[in-house]
Amino acid sequence: MGSEEEKGEFYLRYYVGHKGKFGHEFLEFEFRPDGKLRYANNSNYKNDTIIRKEVYLTPAVLRECRRIIAESEIMKEDDNNWPEPDRVGRQELEIVMGNEHISFTTSKIGSLVDVQSSADPEGLRIFYYLVQVTHISHFHIVLLLLGF
């Protein structure tokens, strides 16, 4: 990753959710330019309440996030041929890195079968794996915040 990418603005927001029998249930997290990681998880199942957590990440963690995004080449993709959000739910991914800004919206992806059967399996595969890696990484941080 070049030094311009490392010094430019960085922002990432991921949302996955649906509206169903228990209301609006969702998981959302964002990496902000100042290093703050914000997390929200709203599940009304059995009267759960929304969980919100915030933590500041070190520059090394942010550099690693930027590296993962740059190497994934997600910034070259286009969501025009991805499945539209439906009653099952939606996913959103927004990234600002340097001078580039992308925003994707698609339906929930249940498995790689959904990816392979889409009109753009290569692009959706990149999205799917990037979301998995990012989700796992942020989830470990949140578990530490919650004391697990």
Side-chain angles (χ1 to χ4, degrees):
M1 192 165 54
S3 62
E4 273 187 42
E5 277 182 316
E6 289 178 9
K7 293 179 183 170
E9 186 175 359
F10 176 70
Y11 173 81
L12 181 145
R13 182 184 67 83
Y14 174 73
Y15 164 92
V16 61
H18 68 276
K19 293 178 182 165
K21 147 174 152 176
F22 297 109
H24 183 200
E25 296 184 295
F26 66 90
L27 176 127
E28 181 176 43
F29 59 86
E30 69 178 348
F31 295 85
R32 299 179 52 89
D34 61 358
K36 184 186 283 188
L37 167 62
R38 296 178 67 212
Y39 167 85
N41 189 343
N42 190 39
S43 171
N44 295 321
Y45 181 71
K46 294 188 177 180
N47 296 319
D48 267 353
T49 58
I50 191 166
I51 298 168
R52 292 188 188 276
K53 296 291 178 183
E54 294 182 351
V55 65
Y56 282 92
L57 304 172
T58 66
V61 172
L62 289 175
R63 276 193 305 276
E64 182 63 8
C65 291
R66 292 171 76 113
R67 184 194 65 76
I68 290 168
I69 291 166
E71 287 186 9
S72 77
E73 298 187 338
I74 190 72
M75 303 299 277
K76 295 178 182 177
E77 295 304 323
D78 184 328
D79 66 353
N80 283 336
N81 292 320
W82 296 0
E84 292 290 325
D86 55 22
R87 65 174 181 74
V88 175
R90 70 186 294 122
Q91 293 184 87
E92 300 171 2
L93 178 66
E94 180 180 9
I95 301 171
V96 175
M97 200 157 77
N99 294 327
E100 293 184 78
H101 180 203
I102 56 141
S103 184
F104 298 119
T105 303
T106 190
S107 63
K108 282 186 177 179
I109 300 171
S111 70
L112 284 174
V113 172
D114 297 336
V115 171
Q116 290 307 113
S117 64
S118 77
D120 179 15
E122 181 60 26
L124 198 56
R125 182 186 60 77
I126 291 169
F127 173 86
Y128 177 80
Y129 283 124
L130 178 63
V131 164
Q132 296 302 312
V133 168
T134 306
H135 195 150
I136 289 167
S137 301
H138 104 274
F139 198 66
H140 283 107
I141 294 167
V142 170
L143 286 176
L144 291 171
L145 287 172
L146 295 173
F148 290 99

